Amino acid sequence: MTDILRGKRLEPMDDLALKITSSVETDKRIQKAVVYVNMAHVLALYNARAISKEDMSKIMKALSEELGGFPLDYRYEDVHMSLEQDLSLKIGEVAGHIGLAKSRNDQVATAIRLELKEELLSVMESLESLIENILNVASENVKTFFITFTHLQPAQASTGAHWLLSYAWALLRDLERLKLAYSITDMSPMGSAANAGSLVPVDRYEEADMLGFSGLVENTIDAVSTRDFIFDALYSITSISLNLSKLSADIISFMSLGILDLDDKFVSTSSIMPQKRNPVVAEIVRAKSAVLTSNLIGAMEIVRGLNSSYNLDLQEITPRLWASIDEVSSILKVMSGMVLGIKFNENKAEELAKKAFVIASDLAEFISLKFGVPFREAHHIVGEAVKSSEAGGELISSLIEILKQNGINADAQELTQVINPVSSIEKKITAGGPHPKESIRQINMINLKLKEFEDFVNLSKRKIEKTYQMMINKGWY
Ligand code: ARG
């Protein structure tokens, strides 16, 4: 049965050995891409006058039919040999031409890149929708009082939009990473054959062009060796999952504090405690980042210490890539729905803000600016007032007293205005800070950038579509 590959050279392989070395399960994902690669290769062989027009036509016709699917059998090792086997069953010996000037080494690298390009674009689209949803919720909450945290302790006065926008920016950088991963993936290894090219004058540039690639992985050894494009894709995806893990951790903590809530669709309850609203979706998204990180590290570990050119070890990288893409696609979609249902509880946030003195830093800044006191001294004065307030004193009167001891006469009314956490937002002038105008400016900026990414995705999709149309052009047969 394995004759197509082992010919008269080798006896049949041990069955278990065949099973563990076969990639057919993972190859389903690149099945269509492998057919397109073969189509481009057959056209390139014909253009190089290595095969006749008649043979080219026959093979192109048969290949176009294979786009509908063909059996993948582990006994042929992988999708590449399964295709050649199926073709030879259908059109006989002429199918054997597809092996000329081509190896599974350049073929698999090319097919993974083709499939990955499409999948990266679809991850980009899902990420764009998530960012859009974040922007929608942010624009409804530019004035919604909220607090920031450091060390998970209440820190400063802010807004719901300000917090949400921190994620929109981070995810926008992930879009940038995906775009870079796309451009590194968008290079063709085809025509490198096993690793040192061939005697056939196949035009690698033309072949790259026919497959819709933007360029060539020039060096033929590098072309079959490298999986760094997969690492770039995996890193971009892992970075998304780390950002979503952080967002989930925030949501979980904020729900626990009662300052944020989620729609029922994204919480579960307890089998014994009926009062519970557990943020289980966020918990799973948080945990998934560990799975994605381990896929990235696992893939990198496979090449650590590996020699150059093709080694079958590389085959173990691909399932990790597809698994990460599937994971990230589903967490992006679920998070898109979840963020739309975010509700901020302003009353609870204000209550916590007052109890936790989140205006302490405002107060220290005010004293420093108003009375020309070095910030460190103002910090000490406010710290002392907070301490006496915690012991039962009243904040403003304690503060006035301490200021007096330092030779400063302060106006109680003015200080009272400073300690209002809600009006703190309006006074913040920092670019990128919580002032509603700053949030609106950020929303507009992110929207503009999103538009550029959308154009990039649409343009790239159109280019891929055109490539495939060219391949299935009936004019070849
Ligand atoms: N199934 C292999 C993979 O996925 C294809 C290349 C195999 N090459 C070889 N010389 N055995 O990487």
Side-chain angles (χ1 to χ4, degrees):
M1 192 124 187
T2 53
D3 276 358
I4 186 161
L5 181 62
R6 300 168 79 86
K8 296 181 179 155
R9 171 75 174 92
L10 295 173
E11 295 301 318
M13 200 170 180
D14 172 82
D15 195 56
L16 191 55
L18 244 181
K19 273 189 184 134
I20 75 151
T21 50
S22 164
S23 57
V24 284
E25 270 312 306
T26 308
D27 287 347
K28 285 178 193 148
R29 197 93 169 215
I30 55 167
Q31 193 164 358
K32 190 184 72 172
V34 165
V35 179
Y36 282 126
V37 172
N38 275 280
M39 288 176 120
H41 189 66
V42 167
L43 292 175
L45 285 175
Y46 168 66
N47 289 346
R49 297 176 196 282
I51 59 172
S52 70
K53 187 168 186 181
E54 203 191 336
D55 288 350
M56 177 275 281
S57 274
K58 237 185 244 167
I59 306 173
M60 285 300 277
K61 183 165 190 291
L63 280 172
S64 70
E65 281 156 16
E66 300 291 16
L67 281 172
F70 53 90
L72 288 178
D73 192 325
Y74 76 94
R75 285 168 296 183
Y76 304 122
E77 294 188 11
D78 52 28
V79 60
H80 316 286
M81 298 321 295
S82 295
L83 174 64
E84 195 171 325
Q85 169 66 23
D86 199 55
L87 273 183
S88 70
L89 280 180
K90 287 178 177 152
I91 56 173
E93 268 186 357
V94 69
H97 283 307
I98 68 164
L100 184 62
K102 171 167 80 65
S103 149
R104 286 181 286 172
N105 301 353
D106 58 346
Q107 180 162 308
V108 72
T110 311
I112 295 170
R113 284 171 186 262
L114 279 183
E115 176 61 24
L116 181 57
K117 278 171 61 181
E118 288 195 75
E119 302 215 13
L120 283 173
L121 294 175
S122 119
V123 174
M124 285 182 81
E125 284 181 317
S126 305
L127 184 51
E128 284 163 11
S129 320
L130 171 61
I131 299 173
E132 270 165 27
N133 288 358
I134 291 177
L135 293 186
N136 285 337
V137 183
S139 54
E140 285 160 17
N141 290 287
V142 291
K143 290 187 174 166
T144 306
F145 182 77
F146 208 51
I147 39 186
T148 63
F149 293 80
T150 60
H151 311 273
L152 207 49
Q153 298 294 313
Q156 294 186 302
S158 176
T159 65
H162 187 219
W163 168 70
L164 281 168
L165 290 172
S166 70
Y167 287 100
W169 282 113
L171 294 169
L172 201 66
R173 288 193 295 277
D174 289 332
L175 263 181
E176 198 75 63
R177 290 185 181 97
L178 286 166
K179 192 176 164 202
L180 177 66
Y182 184 92
S183 64
I184 290 173
T185 303
D186 194 19
M187 298 287 164
S188 174
M190 209 46 207
S192 301
N195 68 20
S198 87
L199 306 181
V200 185
V202 163
D203 183 345
R204 290 191 65 207
Y205 296 93
E206 180 198 48
E207 216 167 341
D209 210 40
M210 284 195 282
L211 287 166
F213 284 107
S214 296
L216 216 58
V217 186
E218 293 279 346
N219 182 286
T220 56
I221 301 174
D222 181 35
V224 298
S225 303
T226 188
R227 292 295 183 270
D228 60 2
F229 66 101
I230 295 187
F231 303 148
D232 290 322
L234 280 176
Y235 172 62
S236 322
I237 290 168
T238 306
S239 176
I240 296 172
S241 82
L242 290 173
N243 281 320
L244 296 186
S245 162
K246 181 161 63 177
L247 174 58
S248 299
D250 272 1
I251 289 173
I252 293 163
S253 308
F254 298 165
M255 267 183 84
S256 170
L257 290 168
I259 60 174
L260 179 149
D261 206 359
L262 291 176
D263 193 284
D264 272 1
K265 281 188 272 192
F266 298 94
V267 296
S268 79
T269 189
S270 151
S271 61
I272 178 170
M273 300 166 282
Q275 84 283 13
K276 293 299 273 321
R277 300 183 81 256
N278 295 330
V280 291
V281 180
E283 286 168 342
I284 288 297
V285 172
R286 181 171 60 180
K288 288 283 189 198
S289 64
V291 176
L292 275 107
T293 308
S294 70
N295 282 341
L296 168 65
I297 303 299
M300 291 176 120
E301 277 294 293
I302 291 167
V303 302
R304 189 182 53 78
L306 197 67
N307 296 87
S308 80
S309 189
Y310 190 84
N311 300 278
L312 200 58
D313 309 48
L314 297 179
Q315 181 172 285
E316 285 295 313
I317 293 177
T318 333
R320 285 165 176 80
L321 170 65
W322 306 133
S324 281
I325 293 211
D326 289 342
E327 292 283 15
V328 87
S329 304
S330 63
I331 63 174
L332 276 171
K333 283 180 190 128
V334 80
M335 286 304 266
S336 278
M338 192 157 96
V339 296
L340 283 179
I342 285 180
K343 292 271 172 297
F344 296 98
N345 188 336
E346 282 192 280
N347 292 340
K348 272 270 169 64
E350 276 180 47
E351 216 176 87
L352 180 57
K354 285 186 182 135
K355 202 174 107 206
F357 303 98
V358 299
I359 40 58
S361 56
D362 283 18
L363 215 40
E365 282 181 350
F366 172 79
I367 291 169
S368 182
L369 289 175
K370 172 97 186 176
F371 305 111
V373 178
F375 180 77
R376 189 56 54 223
E377 203 179 319
H379 182 279
H380 291 161
I381 291 169
V382 176
E384 201 182 333
V386 166
K387 193 173 176 183
S388 87
S389 197
E390 274 173 347
E394 202 271 318
L395 182 65
I396 299 290
S397 38
S398 313
L399 195 58
I400 288 184
E401 185 53 39
I402 300 163
L403 284 168
K404 210 174 270 165
Q405 285 161 17
N406 284 271
I408 299 166
N409 280 325
D411 174 35
Q413 220 172 352
E414 214 170 18
L415 291 177
T416 309
Q417 270 174 16
V418 179
I419 65 161
N420 180 346
V422 178
S423 55
S424 163
I425 308 303
E426 294 284 342
K427 290 184 212 125
K428 288 273 169 66
I429 53 160
T430 314
H435 194 288
K437 274 195 191 141
E438 272 306 300
S439 289
I440 292 165
R441 187 180 66 86
Q442 291 182 56
I443 292 169
N444 292 338
M445 267 180 95
I446 299 171
N447 260 324
L448 280 178
K449 287 182 190 280
L450 267 184
K451 185 83 194 59
E452 280 171 30
F453 285 111
E454 273 166 25
D455 289 348
F456 170 80
V457 170
N458 290 336
L459 226 75
S460 308
K461 279 171 82 173
R462 221 173 302 146
K463 189 172 169 195
I464 293 173
E465 187 52 35
K466 259 170 81 184
T467 304
Y468 291 156
Q469 281 308 321
M470 192 284 284
M471 294 289 187
I472 51 180
N473 175 353
K474 299 271 185 301
W476 309 126
Y477 44 88

Short mmCIF file of all heavy atoms in Angstrom, two decimals, residues 144-147 149 154 254-261 343-356 358 421:
data_model
loop_
_atom_site.label_atom_id
_atom_site.label_comp_id
_atom_site.label_asym_id
_atom_site.label_seq_id
_atom_site.Cartn_x
_atom_site.Cartn_y
_atom_site.Cartn_z
N THR A 144 -18.67 57.48 33.44
CA THR A 144 -19.05 56.55 34.51
C THR A 144 -17.92 56.43 35.53
O THR A 144 -16.81 55.99 35.19
CB THR A 144 -19.36 55.16 33.92
OG1 THR A 144 -20.34 55.33 32.89
CG2 THR A 144 -19.86 54.20 34.96
N PHE A 145 -18.21 56.79 36.76
CA PHE A 145 -17.15 56.78 37.77
C PHE A 145 -16.66 55.35 38.04
O PHE A 145 -17.43 54.41 38.17
CB PHE A 145 -17.66 57.40 39.10
CG PHE A 145 -16.58 57.43 40.13
CD1 PHE A 145 -15.57 58.38 40.06
CD2 PHE A 145 -16.52 56.47 41.13
CE1 PHE A 145 -14.53 58.38 40.97
CE2 PHE A 145 -15.48 56.47 42.05
CZ PHE A 145 -14.48 57.43 41.96
N PHE A 146 -15.35 55.23 38.13
CA PHE A 146 -14.75 53.92 38.39
C PHE A 146 -13.43 54.16 39.10
O PHE A 146 -12.98 55.32 39.21
CB PHE A 146 -14.52 53.19 37.06
CG PHE A 146 -14.54 51.69 37.18
CD1 PHE A 146 -15.57 51.03 37.82
CD2 PHE A 146 -13.51 50.92 36.65
CE1 PHE A 146 -15.60 49.64 37.93
CE2 PHE A 146 -13.52 49.54 36.74
CZ PHE A 146 -14.56 48.91 37.38
N ILE A 147 -12.81 53.12 39.59
CA ILE A 147 -11.51 53.34 40.23
C ILE A 147 -10.43 52.46 39.62
O ILE A 147 -10.72 51.39 39.08
CB ILE A 147 -11.55 53.11 41.77
CG1 ILE A 147 -12.42 51.92 42.13
CG2 ILE A 147 -12.00 54.34 42.51
CD1 ILE A 147 -12.61 51.75 43.62
N PHE A 149 -6.72 50.40 40.21
CA PHE A 149 -6.09 49.62 41.29
C PHE A 149 -4.61 49.47 41.00
O PHE A 149 -4.20 49.39 39.84
CB PHE A 149 -6.70 48.21 41.36
CG PHE A 149 -8.15 48.22 41.79
CD1 PHE A 149 -9.16 48.51 40.89
CD2 PHE A 149 -8.49 47.93 43.11
CE1 PHE A 149 -10.48 48.54 41.28
CE2 PHE A 149 -9.82 47.95 43.51
CZ PHE A 149 -10.82 48.25 42.60
N PRO A 154 -7.36 49.73 45.95
CA PRO A 154 -7.89 50.93 45.29
C PRO A 154 -6.82 52.00 45.18
O PRO A 154 -6.09 52.26 46.13
CB PRO A 154 -9.01 51.36 46.24
CG PRO A 154 -9.43 50.09 46.93
CD PRO A 154 -8.17 49.27 47.08
N PHE A 254 -13.31 42.69 40.00
CA PHE A 254 -14.28 43.79 40.12
C PHE A 254 -15.68 43.26 40.46
O PHE A 254 -16.44 43.92 41.16
CB PHE A 254 -14.33 44.61 38.82
CG PHE A 254 -13.02 45.29 38.47
CD1 PHE A 254 -12.79 45.81 37.20
CD2 PHE A 254 -12.00 45.41 39.42
CE1 PHE A 254 -11.59 46.44 36.87
CE2 PHE A 254 -10.79 46.03 39.10
CZ PHE A 254 -10.59 46.55 37.83
N MET A 255 -16.00 42.07 39.94
CA MET A 255 -17.30 41.47 40.30
C MET A 255 -17.32 41.13 41.78
O MET A 255 -18.31 41.29 42.47
CB MET A 255 -17.57 40.22 39.47
CG MET A 255 -18.36 40.51 38.22
SD MET A 255 -18.71 39.01 37.31
CE MET A 255 -20.18 38.40 38.15
N SER A 256 -16.18 40.64 42.24
CA SER A 256 -16.09 40.27 43.66
C SER A 256 -16.27 41.51 44.55
O SER A 256 -16.86 41.43 45.62
CB SER A 256 -14.74 39.60 43.89
OG SER A 256 -14.52 39.44 45.26
N LEU A 257 -15.78 42.65 44.08
CA LEU A 257 -15.92 43.90 44.85
C LEU A 257 -17.30 44.52 44.66
O LEU A 257 -17.65 45.49 45.32
CB LEU A 257 -14.86 44.92 44.40
CG LEU A 257 -13.42 44.61 44.78
CD1 LEU A 257 -12.47 45.53 44.02
CD2 LEU A 257 -13.22 44.77 46.28
N GLY A 258 -18.06 44.01 43.69
CA GLY A 258 -19.41 44.53 43.43
C GLY A 258 -19.42 45.80 42.59
O GLY A 258 -20.45 46.45 42.46
N ILE A 259 -18.27 46.18 42.02
CA ILE A 259 -18.25 47.44 41.24
C ILE A 259 -18.52 47.21 39.75
O ILE A 259 -18.61 48.14 38.98
CB ILE A 259 -16.92 48.22 41.45
CG1 ILE A 259 -15.71 47.39 41.01
CG2 ILE A 259 -16.78 48.66 42.90
CD1 ILE A 259 -14.40 48.16 41.06
N LEU A 260 -18.62 45.95 39.36
CA LEU A 260 -18.89 45.63 37.95
C LEU A 260 -19.74 44.37 37.91
O LEU A 260 -19.64 43.52 38.80
CB LEU A 260 -17.56 45.41 37.23
CG LEU A 260 -17.54 45.04 35.75
CD1 LEU A 260 -16.27 45.61 35.10
CD2 LEU A 260 -17.56 43.54 35.53
N ASP A 261 -20.59 44.28 36.89
CA ASP A 261 -21.37 43.05 36.75
C ASP A 261 -21.43 42.63 35.29
O ASP A 261 -21.17 43.43 34.39
CB ASP A 261 -22.78 43.26 37.31
CG ASP A 261 -23.39 41.92 37.76
OD1 ASP A 261 -22.71 40.88 37.60
OD2 ASP A 261 -24.53 41.94 38.27
N LYS A 343 -21.60 45.93 33.04
CA LYS A 343 -22.33 47.04 33.70
C LYS A 343 -21.48 47.52 34.86
O LYS A 343 -21.02 46.71 35.67
CB LYS A 343 -23.67 46.54 34.26
CG LYS A 343 -24.68 46.14 33.20
CD LYS A 343 -25.54 47.34 32.78
CE LYS A 343 -26.42 47.03 31.58
NZ LYS A 343 -25.73 46.71 30.34
N PHE A 344 -21.27 48.84 34.92
CA PHE A 344 -20.50 49.40 36.02
C PHE A 344 -21.45 49.81 37.14
O PHE A 344 -22.49 50.40 36.86
CB PHE A 344 -19.71 50.62 35.55
CG PHE A 344 -18.67 50.28 34.51
CD1 PHE A 344 -18.93 50.46 33.15
CD2 PHE A 344 -17.44 49.76 34.89
CE1 PHE A 344 -17.98 50.14 32.20
CE2 PHE A 344 -16.49 49.44 33.93
CZ PHE A 344 -16.75 49.63 32.58
N ASN A 345 -21.08 49.51 38.39
CA ASN A 345 -21.90 49.93 39.51
C ASN A 345 -21.24 51.17 40.14
O ASN A 345 -20.36 51.06 41.00
CB ASN A 345 -22.02 48.80 40.53
CG ASN A 345 -23.01 49.13 41.62
OD1 ASN A 345 -23.27 50.31 41.89
ND2 ASN A 345 -23.55 48.10 42.25
N GLU A 346 -21.69 52.35 39.67
CA GLU A 346 -21.06 53.61 40.10
C GLU A 346 -21.18 53.85 41.60
O GLU A 346 -20.24 54.32 42.23
CB GLU A 346 -21.70 54.78 39.37
CG GLU A 346 -21.22 54.95 37.95
CD GLU A 346 -21.67 56.28 37.38
OE1 GLU A 346 -22.85 56.37 36.98
OE2 GLU A 346 -20.84 57.21 37.36
N ASN A 347 -22.36 53.52 42.16
CA ASN A 347 -22.55 53.78 43.59
C ASN A 347 -21.54 53.01 44.43
O ASN A 347 -20.93 53.55 45.35
CB ASN A 347 -23.97 53.38 44.04
CG ASN A 347 -25.00 54.30 43.40
OD1 ASN A 347 -24.64 55.41 42.98
ND2 ASN A 347 -26.23 53.83 43.31
N LYS A 348 -21.39 51.74 44.05
CA LYS A 348 -20.44 50.90 44.80
C LYS A 348 -19.01 51.42 44.62
O LYS A 348 -18.21 51.43 45.56
CB LYS A 348 -20.52 49.45 44.27
CG LYS A 348 -21.57 48.61 44.99
CD LYS A 348 -20.93 47.92 46.19
CE LYS A 348 -21.92 47.27 47.14
NZ LYS A 348 -22.67 46.19 46.58
N ALA A 349 -18.71 51.87 43.39
CA ALA A 349 -17.36 52.37 43.13
C ALA A 349 -17.09 53.64 43.93
O ALA A 349 -16.00 53.81 44.50
CB ALA A 349 -17.18 52.62 41.64
N GLU A 350 -18.11 54.52 44.02
CA GLU A 350 -17.93 55.77 44.79
C GLU A 350 -17.74 55.46 46.27
O GLU A 350 -16.89 56.04 46.95
CB GLU A 350 -19.15 56.67 44.61
CG GLU A 350 -19.06 57.51 43.34
CD GLU A 350 -20.27 58.41 43.17
OE1 GLU A 350 -20.67 59.09 44.15
OE2 GLU A 350 -20.84 58.41 42.06
N GLU A 351 -18.56 54.53 46.74
CA GLU A 351 -18.48 54.11 48.16
C GLU A 351 -17.06 53.62 48.48
O GLU A 351 -16.43 54.04 49.46
CB GLU A 351 -19.44 52.93 48.32
CG GLU A 351 -20.20 52.82 49.63
CD GLU A 351 -21.16 51.64 49.50
OE1 GLU A 351 -20.72 50.52 49.80
OE2 GLU A 351 -22.31 51.84 49.04
N LEU A 352 -16.56 52.75 47.60
CA LEU A 352 -15.23 52.19 47.81
C LEU A 352 -14.16 53.27 47.69
O LEU A 352 -13.19 53.32 48.47
CB LEU A 352 -14.98 51.08 46.78
CG LEU A 352 -13.64 50.35 46.84
CD1 LEU A 352 -13.39 49.73 48.22
CD2 LEU A 352 -13.57 49.25 45.78
N ALA A 353 -14.38 54.19 46.72
CA ALA A 353 -13.41 55.27 46.51
C ALA A 353 -13.25 56.11 47.77
O ALA A 353 -12.14 56.47 48.16
CB ALA A 353 -13.86 56.15 45.35
N LYS A 354 -14.38 56.41 48.41
CA LYS A 354 -14.34 57.25 49.62
C LYS A 354 -13.69 56.49 50.76
O LYS A 354 -12.80 57.00 51.44
CB LYS A 354 -15.75 57.70 49.99
CG LYS A 354 -16.23 58.79 49.04
CD LYS A 354 -17.56 59.39 49.40
CE LYS A 354 -17.92 60.43 48.34
NZ LYS A 354 -19.31 60.32 47.91
N LYS A 355 -14.13 55.26 50.93
CA LYS A 355 -13.61 54.44 52.04
C LYS A 355 -12.10 54.23 51.90
O LYS A 355 -11.37 54.17 52.89
CB LYS A 355 -14.33 53.09 52.01
CG LYS A 355 -14.31 52.36 53.34
CD LYS A 355 -15.16 51.11 53.30
CE LYS A 355 -14.24 49.92 53.26
NZ LYS A 355 -14.74 48.73 52.65
N ALA A 356 -11.64 54.12 50.65
CA ALA A 356 -10.23 53.78 50.43
C ALA A 356 -9.36 55.00 50.10
O ALA A 356 -8.21 54.85 49.72
CB ALA A 356 -10.13 52.75 49.31
N VAL A 358 -9.20 57.19 47.62
CA VAL A 358 -8.54 57.19 46.31
C VAL A 358 -8.15 58.60 45.85
O VAL A 358 -7.42 58.74 44.87
CB VAL A 358 -9.39 56.51 45.19
CG1 VAL A 358 -9.66 55.06 45.49
CG2 VAL A 358 -10.65 57.27 44.93
N PRO A 421 -14.21 62.43 44.79
CA PRO A 421 -13.62 61.55 43.77
C PRO A 421 -14.22 61.76 42.39
O PRO A 421 -13.53 61.66 41.38
CB PRO A 421 -13.88 60.13 44.30
CG PRO A 421 -14.83 60.25 45.42
CD PRO A 421 -14.85 61.67 45.88
#
